[in-house]
Amino acid sequence: MKPITFSREETRAMVDEIRDYFRDELDQDIGAMPAEMLVRFFAERMGAYFYNRGLYDAQKLIQKRMDGLVDDVFALEQPTRHLR
């Protein structure tokens, strides 16, 4: 799998979110560099878990839609004497 990468703007937004979380929830101020290191850690070590979860969710959605399409196709079937 190729590494998960983010644009500079995305990284900056995530760093801000992490810093806000530490300040609001943990009552700690952390700098931009430690927050960016956390972003890199999660991207490198945990990113695959989130990526795979997204794939699994997409697969379920696609399967559900495909099941609906199969039902729609069967609904178009015309009656004949031939039994399947």
Side-chain angles (χ1 to χ4, degrees):
M1 182 177 108
K2 78 180 204 179
I4 297 171
T5 58
F6 299 99
S7 70
R8 190 72 208 140
E9 294 78 22
E10 290 170 321
T11 300
R12 192 173 305 124
M14 288 186 282
V15 164
D16 290 344
E17 292 281 350
I18 289 170
R19 294 182 78 193
D20 290 346
Y21 177 81
F22 268 74
R23 185 182 58 252
D24 298 342
E25 301 296 327
L26 304 174
D27 225 11
Q28 295 181 5
D29 286 323
I30 66 168
M33 184 156 313
E36 190 166 339
M37 290 172 68
L38 275 173
V39 169
R40 270 189 263 132
F41 168 78
F42 277 99
E44 292 169 5
R45 301 266 185 93
M46 303 295 152
Y49 293 100
F50 290 94
Y51 181 84
N52 289 346
R53 174 54 51 205
L55 289 178
Y56 303 151
D57 291 347
Q59 288 171 348
K60 285 181 192 174
L61 177 66
I62 291 168
Q63 186 61 52
K64 185 177 178 182
R65 297 259 172 105
M66 289 303 295
D67 290 344
L69 287 173
V70 168
D71 292 343
D72 291 345
V73 169
F74 279 126
L76 297 173
E77 191 172 354
Q78 299 292 314
T80 65
R81 291 183 181 192
H82 174 266
L83 299 176
R84 284 204 268 160

